[in-house]
Each structure stands twice: as C-alpha cells, then as structure tokens.
Amino acid sequence: MPNTTPNPTPNPTPNPTNSPDDKQVPIDVDSSPKPAHATTGSSSTPKSRLNKTPKMIANGRLALNWYLLSLVVIILDQWTKWLAETNLTFLEPVPVIEPFLNWTLAYNYGAAFSFLADAGGWQKWFFSGLALLMSLFLIGYLAKAPRQAKLLSLGLALVLGGAVGNLIDRLLHGHVIDFIHVHYADVWHYPIFNIADIGISIGVLLIVIDMLFLEKKREV
C-alpha cells in the first residue's frame, strides 16, 4: 500500500522582529518648559545676557575736545577783561541796558562776593592755590568721566575754564577783574562779575543736573 502518511509541515523560521520577547520600550519626552533664548544663531545664548548695560568708557583722549572748550572760555574771559581795563574807568558805570545792565570796572581781592577781600594779601596765594588744585583735579576727572556723560563733561569743562581764567588774574594782578554789573536802577545791585564767573556758575549747574537726573540712569 502506498504511504499515505502526510509529510509533517516544516516549522516556519521564527522572525526575530516578531519575537514575543521584544517589547516596545516607551520613550520619555521631556515636556518641561525650556528657557527662552535669543535668536542669535546660537541656541545656548540666554536672552538675559544680551540685555546687559554696556560698560562705561572713559573720555580718555577725547577729553582733549573738552580741554579745547575750556581754552575758549579762558581766551574769551581774558580778552573781555583786557577790553574792560582798556576802555573803562575804575568804578565808573557805563550804561548798556537801562536800568538792568552796566559795564563797571571793579577789582575783587577775595573770593566770590568779595569774601576775604580785606584779609591783607595772604588770600591771593590761598585762593590761587585752591584754584590750581581744583584745575588739576578737573583736568584728571575730565579724562576719566564717561563718554556718555556729555552734560557732565560740558559742566566740568566750563568750570575748568572759569577757574583758570580767574587764577590767571590772581597771579598776574593780585586780584580778579570784574566788569559785568547787573542791577535794577539804584534799588538792587548784584555783585559785579566776569565771563569766568559765568562759566563756573553754568558749569556747576550742569554738574548738579547730571548728578540728580542722569547719573542713576547710566548705572541701570
């Protein structure tokens, strides 16, 4: 009799990809919020680093421009004093704008508002020394002042020019030459002053404005 026993079906080759031992491993996704970064081409640059206040840079050699302004004040001051000495008579007023302004030649042997004017002569060297020290300080401070602080540098330059202008008077004449006389008729008289005094007054005002309103903004 023929063999009718069926041939056993060959076992299929197991597919390693379908192995029951192979399990899907879940992938953890980090969904935590990421820090903000600036779009600078580098994803590792925090935005906060780009918002830092720029470093203050000193005037340095640019202080020469402010020294030139001081020189202009000195030249204008000495020139107007020469005109006053040449064309005016001591303490004889010349009306300019009545009744508010005269040209009146006067000599100040002391400080502002004739302080210590009658001290006996030693005040000449005392105030000259103070003016010299102040001038040297201003020269150095102008070089170190921030370039951004233009109003401060302007004030320092005006004070420097005025201080040197009056210092020249004290060293050459022993007194400061004044000639600008502001008054109201014969009722009120402001102490007679000069161009150097104007430079010092405006300069101090600008420095105070910078200290009160601008200095803190530069530090933010």
Side-chain angles (χ1 to χ4, degrees):
M1 294 179 63
N3 187 2
T4 59
T5 305
N7 293 327
T9 303
N11 295 329
T13 304
N15 189 346
T17 60
N18 297 328
S19 173
D21 295 334
D22 294 339
K23 297 182 178 179
Q24 294 293 334
V25 180
I27 301 176
D28 294 333
V29 178
D30 186 6
S31 60
S32 60
K34 300 294 188 298
H37 293 78
T39 57
T40 60
S42 173
S43 60
S44 61
T45 305
K47 190 175 182 179
S48 59
R49 293 185 182 177
L50 299 177
N51 295 332
K52 288 185 177 180
T53 304
K55 184 179 180 180
M56 294 290 106
I57 302 176
N59 277 325
R61 294 182 179 180
L62 292 181
L64 179 62
N65 297 327
W66 300 112
Y67 297 150
L68 291 176
L69 176 60
S70 299
L71 182 60
V72 170
V73 175
I74 295 170
I75 293 174
L76 182 61
D77 174 67
Q78 291 297 306
W79 177 61
T80 53
K81 288 173 177 175
W82 175 81
L83 289 176
E85 286 253 273
T86 304
N87 297 282
L88 299 176
T89 302
F90 184 68
L91 292 182
E92 289 189 8
V94 175
V96 179
I97 303 176
E98 288 286 1
F100 305 106
L101 178 65
N102 292 342
W103 298 146
T104 303
L105 180 64
Y107 300 145
N108 183 4
Y109 292 88
F113 304 104
S114 297
F115 176 66
L116 292 179
D118 300 324
W122 62 267
Q123 73 274 21
K124 166 189 173 181
W125 302 109
F126 175 73
F127 291 121
S128 296
L130 286 180
L132 179 60
L133 291 176
M134 177 60 69
S135 300
L136 293 175
F137 170 77
L138 292 173
I139 291 173
Y141 192 41
L142 264 173
K144 297 179 180 179
R147 293 183 185 180
Q148 296 88 336
K150 297 187 183 300
L151 190 67
L152 173 62
S153 296
L154 175 59
L156 294 172
L158 292 176
V159 174
L160 174 61
V164 174
N166 284 338
L167 173 62
I168 293 174
D169 281 13
R170 295 186 189 281
L171 295 178
L172 291 181
H173 311 293
H175 56 257
V176 174
I177 300 171
D178 294 324
F179 63 93
I180 303 174
H181 182 193
V182 177
H183 65 99
Y184 179 71
D186 290 328
V187 178
W188 173 82
H189 294 267
Y190 190 81
I192 304 174
F193 56 95
N194 54 44
I195 299 298
D197 296 332
I198 295 176
I200 293 173
S201 299
I202 296 177
V204 170
L205 177 62
L206 296 179
I207 293 172
V208 172
I209 292 175
D210 180 86
M211 291 175 59
L212 294 178
F213 302 106
L214 302 178
E215 184 176 6
K216 292 183 179 180
K217 292 183 179 180
R218 291 194 297 269
E219 296 175 355
V220 174

